[in-house]
């Protein structure tokens, strides 16, 4: 029948009678239950966070999670909103700062929405979820959100650090990492370029190892190629009985130069050298033995450098991949990716100007072929998730092309597997020219390290350390300072830039040097010793004493200590180790400010006896030493207890 107007209105408001509204009520109730459960889960997750804190919390990351949630709630329609949280440069504005609002306003503007960034910041601020670490937030300027941390929370994190030691942040999955570094050439001197690769590569490995990854350290030595033909031919002439009597090749450099001279000047010798290469490649036992003898002499030389610098590395040279290269070329041919070019077999990778030469016109293989074979082996046999090549920046283009070819043939997906060339600049002398001896030769690394030992002993004697230290302690300090300074000088510069090698600068105990940090560390370590407080007393204090952070210098130091995990995370992302050096220097100077403003120990003016010890400040000293020690460990620096 016909409906009156008022009935129609009723009907339109509720078309299916009461069915729909009860359905809606049901959904609302269900939603409320889910919300309640979500909040319970969130709370228990937070409690778990504060409980399971054997590992160090990355405060920055935790703040990013909190702000990420607030931003999603505040602007649910914005896709991939920018998330920027950084430590505050000026203490008066708070401890951290979220500056997402300005970038979000820009994003909205590009979509034709005009919104004031301050309005966005207020919206984010209102949506910050309950959390364990923020005391309060304030909006400043155009839309910065300043964050003040809860002192009690920071204090709790410091107690955890003292009780559990410096533990790495939790790992989502244990990844396999291959680092290819050092990689000198057999029968040639290791030079300062290899020194940089060795120091930087070792430190990267130490970082990955500390964070809990499974690390394979590989020395991709140049132990194969045509130069072995001339070396073996010369060996046969100079030491004809080399198969039975080990040849006394004292100076492999001189031996190399002699054979090169003959190769360039004597036609017969040159022919024989080529025949030797063929014999070596066909695995003739007498030639393999000669090759091994030459490699061993070189290995012993390299090992001296590795022993000084405390480097662990597995040798896996180019020779290891000889058998694997043929298969790689076949694989590229089978996929139709190989072109002929004047008798050479070349591969063009997408987006790359230069092709790879996989087979030379004489049928021989090249660096390109062996690097492809090595990359394939590391991906498929070693099953690496992360592969890092630490060589000078000059090889950057070469690796770019190799990686592009590997992606083209489908060996790995860069979104899943991280394959990266970590390049570094050249080493310059103090005259800003290439680092050479006075006579223009390359500097022998062992001579350089010996010079470092001599200089560091002079430095220790200048400070009269030889009068107070036992001979054994003095030698330990000498090695610690010499090799620590050489490593730190290299690591404290951005590796991408060229680097000026200067003993005077690196042994200066003022400024950002290992000499300064090692002295600072020894001083911090001695504070407890002077107050007659032993490990057990510190341990008991850590269990029972709250670390108070009332003085602004205590607060500054406490926060600085807890930035350690976020520093490591940053280096994991960009592989720039100077960030860690900058941090350690900042920590040492922040500690000095604290120590100068806050008494840790009060002594009697007359007798010099300790009258009063401030235990929570002693704990701050202890935490500083613990973080510094771990930082040194990652940099491969070995501090000594007495200096």
């Amino acid at each position: 029948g016909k409906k009156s107007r008022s009935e129609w209105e009723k009907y339109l408001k509720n078309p299916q009678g009461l069915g729909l509204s009860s359905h809606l009520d049901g959904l609302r109730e269900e939603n409320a239950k889910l919300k309640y459960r979500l909040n319970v889960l969130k709370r228990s997750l937070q409690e778990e966070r504060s409980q399971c804190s054997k590992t160090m919390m990355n405060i920055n990351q935790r703040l990013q999670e909190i702000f990420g949630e607030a931003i999603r709630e505040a602007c649910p329609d914005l896709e991939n909103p920018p998330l920027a949280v950084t430590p505050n440069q000026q203490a008066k504005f708070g401890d951290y700062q979220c500056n997402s609002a300005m970038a979000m306003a820009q994003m909205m503007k590009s979509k034709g929405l005009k919104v004031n960034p301050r309005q966005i910041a207020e919206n984010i601020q209102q949506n910050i979820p309950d959390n364990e670490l923020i005391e309060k937030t304030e909006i400043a300027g155009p839309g910065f959100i300043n964050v003040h941390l809860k002192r009690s929370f920071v204090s709790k994190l410091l107690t955890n650090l003292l009780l559990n030691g410096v533990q790495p942040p939790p790992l989502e999955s244990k990844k396999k990492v291959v680092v290819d570094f050092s990689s000198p050439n057999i029968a040639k001197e290791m030079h300062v370029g290899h020194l940089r690769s060795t120091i930087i590569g070792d430190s990267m490995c130490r970082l990955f190892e500390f964070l809990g990854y499974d690390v394979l350290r590989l020395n991709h030595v140049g132990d194969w190629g045509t130069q072995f033909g001339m070396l073996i031919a010369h060996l046969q002439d100079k030491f004809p009985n080399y198969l039975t009597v080990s040849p006394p090749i004292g100076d492999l450099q001189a031996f190399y130069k002699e054979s090169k001279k003959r190769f360039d000047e004597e036609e017969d010798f040159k022919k024989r050298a080529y025949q030797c290469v063929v014999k070596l490649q066909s695995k003739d036992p007498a030639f393999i033995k000669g090759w091994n003898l030459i490699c061993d002499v070189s290995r012993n030389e390299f090992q001296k450098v590795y022993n000084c610098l405390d480097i662990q590395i597995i040798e896996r040279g180019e020779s290891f991949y000889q058998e694997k290269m043929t298969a790689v070329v076949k694989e590229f041919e089978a996929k139709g990716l190989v072109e002929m070019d004047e008798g050479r077999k070349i591969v063009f990778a997408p987006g790359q100007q230069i092709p790879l030469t996989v087979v030379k016109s004489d049928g021989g293989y090249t660096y390109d072929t062996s690097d492809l074979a090595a990359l394939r082996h590391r991906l498929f046999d070693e099953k690496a998730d992360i592969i890092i090549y630490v060589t000078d920046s000059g090889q950057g283009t070469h690796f770019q092309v190799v990686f592009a070819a590997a992606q083209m043939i489908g060996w790995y997906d860069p979104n899943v597997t991280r394959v990266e060339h970590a390049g570094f600049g050249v080493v310059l002398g103090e005259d800003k020219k290439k680092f050479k001896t006075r006579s223009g030769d390359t500097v022998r690394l062992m001579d350089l390290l010996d010079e470092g030992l001599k200089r560091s002993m002079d430095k220790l004697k200048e400070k009269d350390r030889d009068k107070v230290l036992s001979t054994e302690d003095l030698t330990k300090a000498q090695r610690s300072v010499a090799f620590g300074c050489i490593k730190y000088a290299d690591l404290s510069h951005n590796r991408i830039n060229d680097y000026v090698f200067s003993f005077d600068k690196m042994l200066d105990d003022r400024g950002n040097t290992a000499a300064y940090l090692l002295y600072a560390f020894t001083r911090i370590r001695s504070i407890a010793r002077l107050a007659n407080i032993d490990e057990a007393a510190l341990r008991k204090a850590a269990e029972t004493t709250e670390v108070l952070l009332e003085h602004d210098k205590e607060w500054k130091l406490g926060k600085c200590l807890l930035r350690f995990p976020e520093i490591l995370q940053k280096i994991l992302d960009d592989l720039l180790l100077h960030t860690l050096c900058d941090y350690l220097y900042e920590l040492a100077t922040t500690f000095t400010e604290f120590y100068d403003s806050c008494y840790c120990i009060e002594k009697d003016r007359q007798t010099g006896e300790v009258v009063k010890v401030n235990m929570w400040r002693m704990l701050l000293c202890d935490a500083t030493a613990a973080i510094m020690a771990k930082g040194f460990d990652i940099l491969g620096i070995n501090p000594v207890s007495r200096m």
Side-chain angles (χ1 to χ4, degrees), residues 6 11 60 143 247 260 270 312 355 434 477 524 550 594 604 631:
S6 60
Y11 178 71
N60 197 328
K260 180 85 175 83
K270 195 174 191 165
Q312 304 295 322
K434 247 187 145 174
I524 296 169
E550 277 153 15
F594 152 79
D604 185 294

Side-chain angles (χ1 to χ4, degrees), residues 331-494:
E331 189 177 341
F332 273 89
E333 285 178 325
K335 299 242 167 97
L337 299 170
V338 175
E339 299 174 31
M340 292 304 289
D341 174 63
E342 299 183 352
R344 300 182 306 153
K345 291 183 177 176
I346 61 172
V347 171
F348 273 102
Q352 302 299 325
Q353 263 67 61
I354 321 162
L356 294 173
T357 301
V358 289
V359 184
K360 292 187 295 191
S361 50
D362 65 3
Y365 295 133
T366 66
Y367 276 137
D368 295 351
T369 334
S370 66
D371 274 331
L372 282 168
L375 179 53
R376 190 183 194 289
H377 186 264
R378 290 160 187 180
L379 288 164
F380 292 101
D381 297 70
E382 293 299 347
K383 300 189 169 41
D385 302 295
I386 301 173
I387 305 174
I388 294 163
Y389 292 80
V390 187
T391 74
D392 65 276
S393 299
Q395 298 179 47
T397 322
H398 162 72
F399 281 113
Q400 222 178 319
V401 185
V402 170
F403 300 161
Q407 287 169 42
M408 167 176 78
I409 199 168
W411 286 351
Y412 77 96
D413 171 357
N415 297 316
V416 179
T417 309
R418 177 178 182 184
V419 180
E420 207 172 313
H421 173 240
F424 53 81
V426 289
V427 182
L428 305 172
E430 301 201 44
D431 56 2
K432 304 277 194 297
K433 296 196 177 82
K434 247 187 145 174
F435 195 61
K436 293 259 193 282
T437 60
R438 290 217 174 101
S439 59
D441 291 333
T442 45
V443 180
R444 296 183 64 150
L445 276 197
M446 276 319 290
D447 295 347
L448 192 71
L449 296 175
D450 288 339
E451 163 98 356
L453 286 168
K454 191 182 127 336
R455 294 277 202 114
S456 90
M457 184 55 89
D458 294 346
K459 192 84 190 168
L460 288 161
K461 285 183 171 165
E462 195 185 296
K463 287 183 163 304
D464 289 335
R465 305 318 291 161
D466 51 331
K467 300 192 173 65
V468 289
L469 294 176
S470 68
T471 320
E472 190 191 350
D473 279 347
L474 188 63
T475 309
K476 275 188 184 162
Q478 174 195 22
R479 291 180 72 86
S480 168
V481 171
F483 303 141
C485 285
I486 289 172
K487 288 183 179 186
Y488 192 86
D490 196 321
L491 295 167
S492 58
H493 290 87
N494 184 330

Side-chain angles (χ1 to χ4, degrees), residues 37-48:
R37 283 185 53 197
L38 184 65
N39 282 329
V40 172
L41 283 169
K42 272 187 190 160
R43 262 202 304 276
S44 69
L45 184 68
Q46 260 175 34
E47 276 162 24
E48 217 172 284

